[in-house]
Amino acid sequence: MRLSALVLTVCLPAAAAADEWFVIVSYVDHPPFEWADAALDRARYLDTALAPCGYSAWSDFVGKFDGFNPNGRGTVFIADAVPNLSKSQAEHVLGQVRPCVPDAYIKRGRYFGE
């Protein structure tokens, strides 16, 4: 194994091993990696909105996702589904979520987590 490949293997978190697809249902704008009370209000709203579709929302800071451009957005809300969705699985979840959150969409990225 080349040294550069070894360094990448050792330094990257395990969660970053592969791209996955997410069903984005909302954002809250605030400074990166800082808590905003508006995120809690938005989470409550989204859980109520998604319930008839059989989903809830989970959230984390946008900066914990590779491939997501924060553009001033501090928190991203994602439809809670099976982790590591393929594109076709994400499209299926999107079809189920859209009646409850019409502007939901899918996005590919990597989640680094805690």
Side-chain angles (χ1 to χ4, degrees), residues 47-100:
D47 280 342
T48 300
L50 287 166
C53 291
Y55 287 90
S56 60
W58 68 273
S59 63
D60 210 336
F61 294 121
V62 176
K64 291 185 178 183
F65 292 83
D66 184 29
F68 287 28
N69 186 354
N71 288 335
R73 294 176 160 172
T75 300
V76 61
F77 294 87
I78 296 169
D80 192 12
V82 177
N84 302 314
L85 295 175
S86 67
K87 185 176 183 181
S88 64
Q89 290 169 323
E91 288 170 339
H92 177 76
V93 172
L94 179 63
Q96 294 178 322
V97 165
R98 272 219 174 125
C100 295

Side-chain angles (χ1 to χ4, degrees), residues 2-89:
R2 295 179 57 188
L3 181 58
S4 60
L6 178 62
V7 170
L8 282 174
T9 303
V10 172
C11 295
L12 289 177
D19 284 349
E20 58 186 305
W21 289 83
F22 300 92
V23 180
I24 309 299
V25 293
S26 190
Y27 289 92
V28 171
D29 297 342
H30 59 83
F33 297 103
E34 289 183 21
W35 174 251
D37 289 338
L40 186 56
D41 293 338
R42 190 68 179 165
R44 287 184 191 123
Y45 166 79
L46 288 166
D47 280 342
T48 300
L50 287 166
C53 291
Y55 287 90
S56 60
W58 68 273
S59 63
D60 210 336
F61 294 121
V62 176
K64 291 185 178 183
F65 292 83
D66 184 29
F68 287 28
N69 186 354
N71 288 335
R73 294 176 160 172
T75 300
V76 61
F77 294 87
I78 296 169
D80 192 12
V82 177
N84 302 314
L85 295 175
S86 67
K87 185 176 183 181
S88 64
Q89 290 169 323

